[in-house]
Amino acid sequence: MPIALREDVAYIILKKIRETGGEGKQPVNFTEVDFTGFNLSQSDLLGHLDYLNQKDYIDADFSGNAYAKQEDVPNLINSKEVDFRVANTFGSADSPLPHLIEFEQAQLTKKGQKMLDKMEASPPDSLQKGPAVPLATKNMPFLEKVMLKGQVEDIFDAKNLTEVVFRTMRDLMTTKVADQVASELHEESIPTNDKTLQNEVAELWRDTNPLVAWLSRVRPPFHGSVPFTIDDNLFVFRVEQEGGMPRGTDGETVIKAVFSATKDELSAERIAEIAEFLPGKIQEIWQQA
């Protein structure tokens, strides 16, 4: 069954495949977050991927039945006919959280790169107002942003992971800068009647554990070389180990989600100041979030 090809969706797909980087084909994961506000169904996404592959804009290997290269193409509308690793709940009305959509691996072809270059020079009209995700989540409560962008399904996991990310950030900062950050984080983390979740973002930043909050104030910032500082690997390791990483996500994804939600609350001056304390790759994630 033919689909109505959307230029904005094709742009997002091509751009994400390119950003995956690396030589040759690389694994590429799409979630609902990539298409927030696009009203895109599972079958529509599969149809776009199929079309771009058949028309040689991408070179992709699909999991299971590589239907895009076969003559007996199944009906894309009937997802049961497609042997494809896609979460059944993608796009379901009762599930606002991102569910992973995967295909084995992909890379842009020369034809796809040329098309993407043209699109970036003149983006589709629907994208002129800026990235879809920040616009769609701008007014969402803090922890809901972390859940959505971090692929975290439980609000308590989102809270715990946020505190670990904040704790690791503070360990790299002076107390003065940490206090300046706290002064800007006055929004409630999430509207709720559950007293265990009734915190301002500033309370999460300082740490709801009184002992940890006190240690953060008396301990000097980590500096020097490992093990006397926190490098990229240790930053991610701490988040994954101390946060009790749930299935379906990873440290870097959660870190970027917390960074993105935090930057929505901070001034440009504070955002730039925090970046100076973060190590290499973590600093890049902060700037990209």
Side-chain angles (χ1 to χ4, degrees), residues 97 134-150 155 158-159 162 186-192 197 199-201 204 257-258 260-262 264-265:
L97 299 177
L135 285 175
T137 63
K138 181 178 179 181
N139 297 316
M140 288 175 62
F142 184 93
L143 288 179
E144 285 188 5
K145 295 179 188 179
V146 173
M147 291 174 69
L148 179 64
K149 294 187 177 184
I155 190 69
K159 175 180 178 291
T162 295
H186 292 307
E187 297 296 323
E188 62 179 349
S189 61
I190 192 167
T192 179
L197 290 171
N199 305 114
E200 282 192 349
V201 182
L204 300 180
V258 174
S260 178
T262 304
D264 284 347
E265 310 295 328

Side-chain angles (χ1 to χ4, degrees), residues 159-177:
K159 175 180 178 291
N160 293 338
L161 288 164
T162 295
E163 290 200 78
V164 175
V165 172
F166 282 171
R167 188 179 305 152
T168 311
M169 293 172 70
R170 289 197 318 274
D171 282 347
L172 290 163
M173 299 177 184
T174 63
T175 301
K176 178 181 178 181
V177 172

Side-chain angles (χ1 to χ4, degrees), residues 11 36 40 60 86 110 148 151 182 188 195 240 246 248 270:
Y11 174 80
T36 301
L40 190 72
V86 179
K110 291 183 178 179
L148 179 64
Q151 301 174 27
E188 62 179 349
K195 292 183 178 180
E240 292 181 338
R270 207 63 60 218

Side-chain angles (χ1 to χ4, degrees), residues 82-273:
V82 184
D83 184 10
F84 199 87
R85 285 184 298 160
V86 179
N88 293 330
T89 50
F90 179 85
S92 63
D94 62 346
S95 180
L97 299 177
H99 294 276
L100 197 61
I101 293 180
E102 300 182 19
F103 58 104
E104 293 271 326
Q105 52 188 1
Q107 65 180 345
L108 288 187
T109 63
K110 291 183 178 179
K111 182 178 178 182
Q113 183 61 61
K114 288 182 179 179
M115 174 62 72
L116 182 56
D117 290 341
K118 290 181 180 179
M119 286 182 165
E120 288 185 323
S122 180
D125 291 341
S126 60
L127 299 177
Q128 292 289 347
K129 295 182 180 179
V133 172
L135 285 175
T137 63
K138 181 178 179 181
N139 297 316
M140 288 175 62
F142 184 93
L143 288 179
E144 285 188 5
K145 295 179 188 179
V146 173
M147 291 174 69
L148 179 64
K149 294 187 177 184
Q151 301 174 27
V152 178
E153 296 188 7
D154 185 272
I155 190 69
F156 291 96
D157 285 340
K159 175 180 178 291
N160 293 338
L161 288 164
T162 295
E163 290 200 78
V164 175
V165 172
F166 282 171
R167 188 179 305 152
T168 311
M169 293 172 70
R170 289 197 318 274
D171 282 347
L172 290 163
M173 299 177 184
T174 63
T175 301
K176 178 181 178 181
V177 172
D179 286 346
Q180 289 173 333
V181 173
S183 70
E184 296 187 10
L185 300 175
H186 292 307
E187 297 296 323
E188 62 179 349
S189 61
I190 192 167
T192 179
N193 292 323
D194 189 332
K195 292 183 178 180
T196 61
L197 290 171
Q198 288 175 345
N199 305 114
E200 282 192 349
V201 182
E203 293 177 71
L204 300 180
W205 172 259
R206 296 188 186 98
D207 213 295
T208 56
N209 182 318
L211 178 60
V212 174
W214 177 76
L215 287 173
S216 291
R217 298 194 63 80
V218 299
R219 180 192 296 132
F222 285 79
H223 62 84
S225 57
V226 177
F228 303 106
T229 192
I230 300 175
D231 64 3
D232 299 342
N233 294 331
L234 183 55
F235 197 111
V236 176
F237 178 80
R238 280 186 56 172
V239 172
E240 292 181 338
Q241 295 300 309
E242 296 179 27
M245 190 62 57
R247 292 182 179 181
T249 189
D250 56 65
E252 289 192 16
T253 300
V254 168
I255 290 167
K256 188 171 185 178
V258 174
F259 281 2
S260 178
T262 304
K263 288 173 69 175
D264 284 347
E265 310 295 328
L266 298 175
S267 64
E269 178 185 3
R270 207 63 60 218
I271 290 171
E273 191 171 36

